[in-house]
Amino acid sequence: MSVQGRVWAFPASYGQERIWLAEQSRPGSTVFAVGLVFPLPPGTDEDAATAALTAVVARHEPLRTSLRAVGGRLEQLVHPGVPVALACTDLGQVPASQAQALVHRSCQEDMAPPFDLEQAPLWRARLLLLGDGERVLTLVAHHTVCDGQSWQVLKAELSELCLARAESRPPRLARLRLQYADWAVWQREHQLTPAAAHRELDHWRARLVGLPAVTAVPTDRPRTPDVDDAGGEVFFAIPQAVADRVTGCARRWRVTEFAVLFAAWAALLARLGDDPDVAMGVPVSGRSEPDLAGLVGMFVNTVVLRVDMSADPSFEALTRQAADVALEAMEHGDVPFQQVVSALAQARGGGAEGAGGPALLPQVGFNLLQGTPLQRGYGTAREDLLLELAGRSGRLEYRTALFDDSTAREIADRFLRVLRAATLDPAVPVSRLPLVDASEQARLDVLGTSTDPDHTAAVPAGALLPDLVLARAARVPDAIAVRDGDTVVTYRDLAERGRRLAGRLTAAGVGPERLVAVLLPRSADHVVTVLGVLLAGGAHLPLDPDQPLERLASLLASSGAGVLVTRDGVPPGLAVPGVRIIDMSQDAGPAATPQAGVGPDRTPAGPSHLAYVLHTSGSTGTPKGVAIEHRSLTGYVRWFVERCALGPQDRVLAVTSPTFDACVNELFPVLVTGGTIVVAPPCHAGDPRRLADLVVEHAITLLPLVPSTLAEWVASGQLARCTSVRQVVCGGERLSGHLHRALVQQLPVPLHNIYGPTETTVGVTAFRALPTDHHAAAVPIGRPVAGARIRLLDARGGPVPVGVPGQVHVGGPPVGRGYPRHPGLTAERFVPDPFGPPGSRLYRTGDRARWLPDGHLEFLGRLDEQVKVRGVRVEPGEVETAVRSLRGVLQAAVVLREDAPGGPGLVAYLVPAAGTHEQAGWRAALARVLPRHLLPAALVPLPALPTTAAGKLDRAALPPPGEAGRSTAGAAPELPRTAVERLVAEVWEQVLGVPGIAAHDRFLDLGGHSLLAVRVVTLLSDLLDVEVPVHLVLADGGVTELAGAIEALVVADAVPPRPDAAAGARAARAVEEVGQG
Amino acid sequence: MTERTYTVVCNDEEQYALWDVDRVAPPGWHPVGFSGSRSACVAHVDRQWTDLRPRSARTSPDPGSDTGSDTATGPATGAGE
């Protein structure tokens, strides 16, 4: 069908522009297609329906509109006529119960082909003939030409047209005094004068300052740049009683029901994300003038409602705040959302849009529908999470790339739970609203309980560790207990020397609860001494001979230890007033004293007596002693023996300094089972080759490591030699999945990842990582062990739901006694356990973790190391994982630094493989896997990562990042080289007004945004005679990457050469003649 | 952020701890009668709690692990036995 007449060009409205721009960066996406379903009078036939459709198309210009980008602006072209094609589908045979689903599926199929926005009409219509004469007209339209309220307009008009025809009368339709395009012009020229717009944007800039770039709600999968619009939905119903209370609250407080419901949703989001600052996008109709009510067109605008709960308000107070915020937002709701976004981006210093086009921030939405029912979605989601309510029906739409359906279902359930509790007792502060119901609490209880046999339950006398070691020694006296260089200690020797030492100690006054300081390096002596101390009933206090003398003297004096065991006398300069010295070099040796039975054959200590005191420095720096009792230690060791299935054939390499509790793993488990401890001399520490030599020479079967050390072993390639090793024990730091995979490539054996602070006896959770495992981020820390009870609690001490981060609290037998010299600190950290037996305590670890759906724990880092970059909480571990997986990178650590380029931000320190200088490639590779807000501000190569004496990363020793500059760290910016690169750089310079563009500078970083990208594309396409898609310019690559992509286009001839464009349409009201047919 | 108020509680083993003043103490714990800011409570416990050994672990008077050695002292260096 052809119509003669003019095509009129008008500027597009801001709303149309926003949608069009968003689509440019998502080629092929169907997220902006809208499905409208209209019931028609029964019996309406195809002709009648077509006539009705033709009439509304003639009436409403948006149904005859296409869009076109010209010279950096978007135009809408109103055509005099468009083909009105009405497809028809006969579903008469389908039973009524399935009809709705099939209508929905039909819409979905009609939506699948993307719209070419330059081709009118931007809709597809279909008539569905259902059983019993029922008729449905579906209209799948592009969002640029219609919105939700347009549905009501069209529904009324189509009905009326069909009825009028059936009754053979003229249709009664209101006269339209204006059309959508008129409004678009008015919007730009009158509704918002520059002065008014300026004022409005000032308001929004102030209101939204500091808005986090991404929402804090935890997702099931990381937010990578390729998160798409695929969506899912869950439906739910608000119980009548709750709905009545919502109405009651609204009436009592004289606010809208919107405010009450919004407040409940905001409170839930704040709790889930552990962030009191919550902002959401809320749609407003945008039809402020009465004449607009009857128009079809895209009027909807979005406003941002932001509430702050950091004062922990009651629910009532929060609702009042929400009501005020909503009112204020409406008053300033005329300014197009896109302008607000741009203003915020500029305030942030450009580059905040990201590859997804104008950031549809915030990524959480709320919509309260009035007068329209909830509609099923079509498999897309425009936000991470959108809560829609209509009456008592609710719908939660979510991005499937980020959330599982079960998680979305849980979020919906929690919303109802919060709404129920909040409306029941509105005085409850937001922090106390219940997220967890009784059945989930029961599940958390089960998760938090160790399922290992509880070895700590009743540790009978005679079954403490020293007794167990003696019992083993009696059974295998000739087996080798310790090897230390050339020294060989059999179990008989060990028992005799241990008992002899215990005798000396007892004579010196050692007994239960008496501390014995031990100043010995890792050695056979040390093993004997520990046994002797425990056999005498005393508590072992290890001192590190490598420490400065002053510190040793201070530790010794403050501990109150009365006895010091050392070899060859006390080091000169170490003051030990009032302390008895036991010198190992004066031990007469096995042959000298023939008397059997010298020294005790059982320890006088009981299960609740002290076993050892270790000093930790923690994050504050000042060392404090941690006291651990026998029952905790025995329980842990017995668990470890069982977990590793240790036996007499096991040989463990002792590599840990005696002052760290990981040393326990290398000492007791082997001695109670009759295996051998092979001591690695302190001089070999940090030398994987020498240590590997020992592993091979002595056929070590159990290898204990800390992740930082493991990284060195992996880098050295020595692990492959260690074929005798049958399992690895790891702990003390977060273990990345990447490092684990590197390990198993050289040494494919199980790895036990053990988590636990010193205060709770070595380890309280463990995970068995198999060589076939693939962990995307970090290896989990597993499940509670050794009788430990694990609770994840929020700041108010309430349990957090599965998946939500909380602070790790430990209860049960592994909990230590406390800090002997710091009672106040002990009272602060060891708190009453509301979930355990009366009078029991929980230790607050200061670590964050969350339960994974499979019941394992994921370690997230220290609470006080939590990092916020531009208002968004980030897990440096996530970034570390990405940096470590770069090609040529051996090790990496990511920290927040105040002195990062451009202000406080993430800095990645990495250890490149020899001969690697891949810095620019690294940035591009990271940009492909990390969202913008996680990209490090600088990448600093180091020859090695600094470590502490315990083998963990030494953050304080990391160097300042220095002048990393715009492109690479340190190097002078690389200039564009190839002809295409130079051309791209020139065009960018022209459009952006920025001189001296380097090869790796990115468009968005230099102040570019989507509209400027269109200008770039126009220029490039003209110059190169190839159609350059806009999304390539907005992608995260630099000049070089864009040039490469363009060259690829030319070579592949993937895009046909540009048609001869109508160069005439430049002015605001250009006119084209459309000829026949 | 408003500072929270805590109360000092004690159990049968004569161990002290801090607890939220708004919440009922769990079974086995009773308030000792001191409440205040976190630092005030910590300071109070530092003064009151002199023996960190649980009551059931005490078989004798405090052996001096908190107050220094009470054993007969020998010479500062050299042989001890």
Side-chain angles (χ1 to χ4, degrees):
Chain A
M1 169 155 118
S2 60
V3 172
Q4 231 175 6
R6 302 185 141 91
V7 174
W8 293 89
F10 298 90
S13 69
Y14 289 115
Q16 288 175 317
E17 205 170 61
R18 167 163 62 97
I19 294 175
W20 183 88
L21 287 170
E23 246 197 30
Q24 294 313 299
S25 342
R26 303 164 155 84
S29 167
T30 58
V31 71
F32 291 112
V34 179
L36 307 172
V37 176
F38 305 102
L40 295 182
T44 307
D45 64 11
E46 216 174 313
D47 286 338
T50 307
L53 186 60
T54 309
V56 295
V57 168
R59 255 170 85 72
H60 297 281
E61 287 182 2
L63 298 176
R64 294 182 268 122
T65 294
S66 64
L67 299 170
R68 181 174 70 181
V70 175
R73 294 176 339 141
L74 188 67
E75 285 186 340
Q76 52 182 326
L77 304 176
V78 178
H79 301 258
V82 292
V84 177
L86 185 62
C88 193
T89 305
D90 189 345
L91 296 176
Q93 310 306 317
V94 165
S97 58
Q98 294 180 20
Q100 260 218 346
L102 281 174
V103 169
H104 186 265
R105 174 128 58 98
S106 159
C107 268
Q108 191 144 14
E109 281 165 4
D110 283 341
M111 266 185 201
F115 282 99
D116 178 357
L117 294 179
E118 296 193 9
Q119 283 291 109
L122 293 177
W123 50 263
R124 300 170 189 131
R126 182 180 297 272
L127 178 67
L128 296 160
L129 313 170
L130 302 173
D132 289 336
E134 221 183 301
R135 300 287 179 260
V136 165
L137 182 79
T138 66
L139 194 70
V140 168
H142 196 267
H143 203 3
T144 46
V145 298
C146 82
D147 62 9
Q149 199 154 335
S150 308
W151 176 80
Q152 288 176 333
V153 171
L154 285 172
K155 174 164 166 310
E157 291 190 359
L158 287 169
S159 264
E160 170 58 17
L161 284 161
C162 291
L163 275 175
R165 181 179 159 118
E167 293 168 7
S168 304
R169 58 166 175 83
R172 290 188 282 275
L173 297 174
R175 193 172 86 81
L176 301 175
R177 280 210 291 268
L178 51 122
Q179 288 282 340
Y180 183 78
D182 300 317
W183 175 76
V185 170
W186 175 80
Q187 183 191 41
R188 283 180 189 269
E189 291 178 7
H190 297 289
Q191 182 189 33
L192 275 182
T193 63
H198 198 78
R199 264 198 318 275
E200 299 295 277
L201 289 177
D202 273 346
H203 164 83
W204 285 111
R205 255 190 290 263
R207 199 72 188 73
L208 301 180
V209 69
L211 196 64
V214 295
T215 156
V217 174
T219 56
D220 291 321
R221 283 169 287 284
R223 190 178 270 106
T224 57
D226 52 13
V227 165
D228 60 7
D229 297 318
E233 61 190 356
V234 297
F235 287 92
F236 60 93
I238 301 179
Q240 185 66 52
V242 177
D244 290 342
R245 285 204 299 270
V246 169
T247 311
C249 287
R251 207 169 287 151
R252 266 201 321 277
W253 305 332
R254 293 215 258 264
V255 297
T256 58
E257 290 189 15
F258 174 92
V260 179
L261 296 164
F262 175 88
W265 180 224
L268 175 64
L269 293 173
R271 290 284 301 278
L272 287 179
D274 195 15
D275 188 348
D277 185 355
V278 169
M280 282 187 245
V282 174
V284 294
S285 81
R287 298 172 187 241
S288 45
E289 304 289 317
D291 282 338
L292 304 177
L295 293 187
V296 169
M298 166 51 202
F299 292 92
V300 167
N301 192 21
T302 301
V303 291
V304 177
L305 299 191
R306 181 183 189 186
V307 285
D308 177 31
M309 288 163 261
S310 44
D312 198 14
S314 69
F315 182 70
E316 182 180 339
L318 178 64
T319 305
R320 291 186 192 281
Q321 189 193 144
D324 290 340
V325 166
L327 199 60
E328 180 196 75
M330 296 313 166
E331 285 167 8
H332 299 275
D334 284 334
V335 64
F337 182 56
Q338 177 207 328
Q339 289 192 356
V340 174
V341 170
S342 296
L344 280 183
Q346 276 161 23
R348 281 215 190 104
E353 283 189 13
L360 294 174
L361 62 87
Q363 297 97 344
V364 182
F366 179 67
N367 193 7
L368 184 61
L369 297 166
Q370 322 253 2
T372 42
L374 276 183
Q375 268 211 333
R376 282 184 56 193
Y378 292 96
T380 56
R382 270 176 253 158
E383 279 142 324
D384 291 354
L385 285 175
L386 168 66
L387 182 69
E388 273 192 338
L389 300 172
R392 291 200 298 119
S393 305
R395 174 176 173 267
L396 183 69
E397 186 183 84
Y398 62 93
R399 287 210 166 105
T400 51
L402 297 175
F403 296 102
D404 292 329
D405 191 77
S406 52
T407 306
R409 164 64 45 204
E410 272 173 10
I411 294 176
D413 287 343
R414 293 193 217 287
F415 170 72
L416 286 174
R417 197 165 298 137
V418 164
L419 190 62
R420 189 177 292 127
T423 52
L424 204 53
D425 182 7
V428 165
V430 168
S431 64
R432 293 260 180 81
L433 289 168
L435 296 189
V436 166
D437 68 357
S439 80
E440 187 167 8
Q441 180 63 64
R443 177 161 177 239
L444 288 171
D445 286 345
V446 168
L447 284 181
T449 306
S450 161
T451 47
D452 289 332
D454 188 354
H455 295 289
T456 62
V459 178
L464 294 187
L465 286 179
D467 307 323
L468 296 175
V469 175
L470 286 188
R472 177 60 61 178
R475 292 216 282 281
V476 290
D478 295 311
I480 298 178
V482 187
R483 285 185 190 275
D484 180 4
D486 294 328
T487 309
V488 170
V489 181
T490 63
Y491 272 89
R492 179 187 296 111
D493 295 339
L494 177 65
E496 279 180 11
R497 291 181 58 191
R499 290 175 65 182
R500 203 163 33 244
L501 176 61
R504 289 170 75 185
L505 289 170
T506 309
V510 173
E513 297 294 319
R514 300 295 173 108
L515 281 180
V516 177
V518 176
L519 184 63
L520 291 171
R522 196 166 59 230
S523 55
D525 273 346
H526 178 258
V527 179
V528 169
T529 305
V530 173
L531 178 61
V533 169
L534 295 183
L535 208 44
H540 168 230
L541 169 65
L543 297 176
D544 185 352
D546 288 338
Q547 295 246 309
L549 295 177
E550 258 181 52
R551 174 164 158 135
L552 288 178
S554 147
L555 285 177
L556 193 52
S558 66
S559 70
V563 178
L564 172 68
V565 178
T566 183
R567 174 173 272 277
D568 296 331
V570 173
L574 177 63
V576 288
V579 175
R580 278 182 95 114
I581 310 300
I582 306 283
D583 195 323
M584 295 292 283
S585 56
Q586 302 190 344
D587 180 25
T593 44
Q595 308 123 293
V598 161
D601 60 359
R602 273 186 47 171
T603 178
S608 53
H609 287 132
L610 279 188
Y612 62 79
V613 173
L614 291 186
H615 284 88
T616 73
S617 54
S619 37
T620 55
T622 28
K624 6 179 231 297
V626 175
I628 300 293
E629 297 168 352
H630 269 285
R631 61 196 183 104
S632 313
L633 176 61
T634 312
Y636 174 77
V637 170
R638 291 175 71 165
W639 164 77
F640 188 92
V641 165
E642 208 176 272
R643 174 57 71 102
C644 297
L646 293 182
Q649 72 289 353
D650 276 293
R651 285 169 292 278
V652 68
L653 185 67
V655 289
T656 306
S657 161
T659 51
F660 298 108
D661 65 354
C663 183
V664 167
N665 293 335
E666 301 163 2
L667 206 64
F668 298 108
V670 166
L671 290 182
V672 305
T673 49
T676 306
I677 301 172
V678 176
V679 176
C683 59
H684 284 351
D687 187 345
R689 181 177 302 279
R690 304 293 292 274
L691 293 173
D693 288 342
L694 279 177
V695 171
V696 171
E697 185 186 338
H698 298 290
I700 298 294
T701 61
L702 180 66
L703 190 60
L705 291 168
V706 171
S708 296
T709 325
L710 174 59
E712 284 164 20
W713 277 75
V714 165
S716 71
Q718 295 294 316
L719 283 169
R721 296 170 54 199
C722 303
T723 50
S724 57
V725 172
R726 16 172 227 106
Q727 43 194 342
V728 173
V729 172
C730 196
E733 284 179 315
R734 182 181 179 277
L735 174 63
S736 76
H738 184 254
L739 184 57
H740 177 247
R741 283 190 289 285
L743 161 73
V744 300
Q745 268 183 3
Q746 298 183 29
L747 186 61
V749 299
L751 176 146
H752 302 284
N753 195 26
I754 300 180
Y755 160 81
T758 308
E759 288 87 342
T760 57
T761 323
V762 193
V764 290
T765 74
F767 181 80
R768 184 188 282 111
L770 299 175
T772 46
D773 279 2
H774 180 97
H775 302 284
V779 175
I781 54 175
R783 305 233 355 94
V785 299
R789 283 193 302 275
I790 303 292
R791 302 280 164 193
L792 300 186
L793 305 179
D794 62 24
R796 292 313 287 265
V800 295
V802 171
V804 175
Q807 179 178 178
V808 179
H809 289 64
V810 182
V815 175
R817 196 184 274 183
Y819 309 106
R821 321 222 49 87
H822 301 86
L825 184 65
T826 304
E828 199 184 8
R829 294 277 179 82
F830 293 77
V831 298
D833 182 355
F835 314 98
S840 58
R841 301 187 301 174
L842 281 178
Y843 173 67
R844 301 171 69 219
T845 63
D847 290 325
R848 278 174 81 230
R850 64 178 189 149
W851 292 110
L852 297 172
D854 60 6
H856 291 289
L857 278 168
E858 181 184 20
F859 176 73
L860 297 173
R862 299 278 312 157
L863 266 176
D864 51 24
E865 270 163 21
Q866 254 192 287
V867 165
K868 271 198 173 191
V869 177
R870 284 188 281 282
V872 184
R873 187 177 302 124
V874 301
E875 305 293 348
E878 206 183 320
V879 184
E880 249 172 46
T881 302
V883 176
R884 266 205 205 117
S885 53
L886 293 173
R887 196 171 13 190
V889 172
L890 295 173
Q891 285 189 69
V894 174
V895 297
L896 176 72
R897 299 235 8 155
E898 295 293 316
D899 53 2
L906 294 176
V907 174
Y909 293 88
L910 46 86
V911 179
T916 308
H917 300 290
E918 279 257 1
Q919 309 216 7
W922 285 338
R923 281 208 162 272
L926 281 180
R928 278 195 285 278
V929 297
L930 287 176
R932 289 194 72 79
H933 68 281
L934 290 186
L935 291 173
L939 296 172
V940 180
L942 294 175
L945 290 179
T947 53
T948 66
K952 301 191 202 179
L953 176 72
D954 188 352
R955 285 157 187 276
L958 290 168
E963 297 283 310
R966 275 191 317 204
S967 40
T968 64
E974 215 182 295
L975 292 174
R977 284 170 304 124
T978 70
V980 182
E981 283 178 20
R982 280 207 296 274
L983 188 64
V984 168
E986 269 168 36
V987 168
W988 282 16
E989 280 182 30
Q990 187 181 335
V991 169
L992 296 170
V994 171
I997 292 186
H1000 300 296
D1001 284 339
R1002 292 179 292 178
F1003 188 70
L1004 295 168
D1005 281 345
L1006 298 171
H1009 55 77
S1010 318
L1011 276 174
L1012 293 178
V1014 175
R1015 212 175 290 169
V1016 166
V1017 153
T1018 311
L1019 286 169
L1020 281 177
S1021 304
D1022 275 342
L1023 289 165
L1024 294 170
D1025 199 24
V1026 72
E1027 182 95 31
V1028 179
V1030 172
H1031 68 88
L1032 280 187
V1033 180
L1034 294 172
D1036 256 337
V1039 171
T1040 309
E1041 281 79 7
L1042 177 57
I1046 293 176
E1047 283 174 42
L1049 282 178
V1050 172
V1051 165
D1053 213 21
V1055 180
R1058 240 168 127 244
D1060 226 78
R1066 294 260 182 261
R1069 285 178 181 256
V1071 170
E1072 292 173 22
E1073 291 282 353
V1074 176
Q1076 288 278 66
Chain B
M1 268 281 256
T2 51
E3 170 126 6
R4 292 227 293 261
T5 311
Y6 297 87
T7 186
V8 177
V9 295
C10 191
N11 65 6
D12 290 341
E13 291 282 19
E14 292 177 18
Q15 294 169 315
Y16 287 70
L18 263 59
W19 190 245
D20 213 343
V21 75
D22 298 327
R23 295 169 71 194
V24 174
W29 292 88
H30 53 269
V32 308
F34 184 95
S35 299
S37 68
R38 177 181 280 275
S39 44
C41 288
V42 168
H44 181 84
V45 173
D46 271 329
R47 286 190 296 271
Q48 300 295 115
W49 194 6
T50 50
D51 186 349
L52 251 73
R53 293 177 300 167
R55 197 161 59 119
S56 53
R58 298 175 209 158
T59 51
S60 58
D62 189 340
S65 53
D66 290 340
T67 58
S69 162
D70 67 346
T71 58
T73 60
T77 58
E81 179 81 43

